[in-house]
Amino acid sequence: MIEARRLHILRAVADHRTVTAAAAALYLTPSAVSQQLTALEQETGHRLVERGAKGVRLTPAGEILLSHTNAVLAQLERAEAELAAYGSGAAGTVTVAAFATGIAQVVAPAVARLAESAPGIRIRVQDAEGDASLPMVLDRQVDVAVAVEYRGAPPADDPRLTHVSLYAEPFDAVVPVRHRLAEAAEIPLADLAKDAWIGPYPGNPCHDVVVLACESAGFQPRLEHSSDDFRAVVALASADAGVALVPRSALSGMDLTGVVVRPVDGVAPTRRVFAAVRRGAEEHPLIRPVLDALREAAGVKTP
């Protein structure tokens, strides 16, 4: 008989590629993870992982078991959801990980809605960049992620996750008030090819949006300054240190003295925001109201 908790460990090892990283995500010791993998191999009668200089990879037998693991764990999530519904599930805590502007845009309004519509549900919010929250959901560190699409992100049909679309927003060009294009109604990105740029660090999903937009306009941005805090990005632009692309919601309520904000000419770069939960958990009586509240806060009608 295969133990479900060992399947969860197998998936964590497959996701993180090393025993040490998987152990850290699961709050276990590397020794405990290795012991559980060995026990799983004994249960299945197959070698499931191979260790190498660059980490751990699954054997063909391990890949077969992993494909079933995603379905099994999703079904267990559904079983927990139905049991919670049977027991009413009217009260409990749901942890949500989201990036800063996502918190302001949809999470905080959803918390306010739930305080009235489902007062028994307590929401705990954790600030996490758009590319960090999805692994936190998969590792069961949080229940819900509010994330953005980015290169390398799990796709919408990933068997481990259920995606719920929330909203999409354009990036606007931010240039110093003394910039040669400050008087333009719209700014073509190609006209900024020779400028110094200010933007998020590589790994931040917004970095991908900026670089891909510039590549589509025919150039590689010369990133002179890096910050994941858009207030810092705008402050540097106001100091005439360079130009930037900033999500529109991030500019709300910000001190824009010294800069000019203009729409991008043509197709504006866009970030798409979604909520994600472990597949099978979307109907949990604590998580479903949270997803509905997030959709309502984003202006999406619930089905």
Side-chain angles (χ1 to χ4, degrees):
M1 179 68 71
I2 298 174
E3 289 193 21
R5 62 191 177 96
R6 290 175 182 154
L7 293 178
H8 183 63
I9 288 173
L10 178 70
R11 188 165 77 177
V13 169
D15 288 342
H16 294 281
R17 300 298 181 185
T18 70
V19 168
T20 301
L26 298 173
Y27 299 102
L28 297 172
T29 65
S31 175
V33 169
S34 294
Q35 290 173 8
Q36 293 299 318
L37 287 175
T38 299
L40 185 58
E41 289 180 329
Q42 292 173 347
E43 288 173 344
T44 60
H46 292 278
R47 188 179 180 187
L48 302 175
V49 298
E50 292 180 346
R51 292 171 174 80
K54 295 184 179 180
V56 176
R57 69 180 184 87
L58 298 188
T59 65
E63 293 287 356
I64 291 172
L65 183 57
L66 179 65
S67 67
H68 291 283
T69 291
N70 292 326
V72 168
L73 295 182
Q75 191 60 42
L76 286 174
E77 292 282 356
R78 295 187 186 99
E80 290 181 9
E82 289 190 22
L83 287 171
Y86 178 76
S88 82
T93 300
V94 176
T95 304
V96 179
F99 57 100
T101 51
I103 292 173
Q105 195 83 348
V106 292
V107 177
V111 170
R113 290 171 184 266
L114 289 166
E116 295 184 0
S117 62
I121 299 178
R122 177 173 174 259
I123 305 297
R124 294 182 59 227
V125 180
Q126 296 185 18
D127 191 334
E129 289 297 338
D131 59 334
S133 56
L134 295 178
M136 293 170 73
V137 167
L138 290 172
D139 293 334
R140 303 182 72 89
Q141 297 172 7
V142 300
D143 302 303
V144 181
V146 174
V148 300
E149 293 180 1
Y150 61 93
R151 284 188 287 192
D157 60 353
D158 189 294
R160 301 168 298 172
L161 296 167
T162 294
H163 283 221
V164 177
S165 296
L166 295 178
Y167 65 94
E169 64 172 327
F171 281 60
D172 289 325
V174 178
V175 302
V177 291
R178 294 177 294 277
H179 193 273
R180 65 187 181 280
L181 297 177
E183 298 300 322
E186 296 181 336
I187 295 181
L189 286 184
D191 291 352
L192 301 175
K194 295 183 178 180
D195 287 83
W197 279 74
I198 311 157
Y201 284 101
N204 186 314
C206 289
H207 174 89
D208 288 347
V209 174
V210 172
V211 171
L212 287 172
C214 293
E215 288 176 351
S216 297
F219 69 98
Q220 284 280 344
R222 180 165 52 89
L223 285 163
E224 293 281 345
H225 311 282
S226 297
S227 175
D228 289 334
D229 187 333
F230 287 116
R231 291 170 300 179
V233 170
V234 170
L236 286 168
S238 69
D240 207 13
V243 300
L245 287 173
V246 177
R248 188 165 292 171
S249 66
L251 296 168
S252 178
M254 194 181 293
D255 181 7
L256 300 177
T257 304
V259 298
V260 170
V261 179
R262 294 288 184 264
V264 172
D265 184 30
V267 179
T270 302
R271 70 171 172 183
R272 290 173 171 79
V273 181
F274 62 92
V277 299
R278 292 180 294 278
R279 188 167 293 250
E282 61 273 11
E283 294 302 330
H284 192 286
L286 293 179
I287 292 177
R288 169 50 60 188
V290 174
L291 293 177
D292 288 345
L294 288 170
R295 288 169 59 91
E296 290 167 6
V300 181
K301 292 182 179 179
T302 54

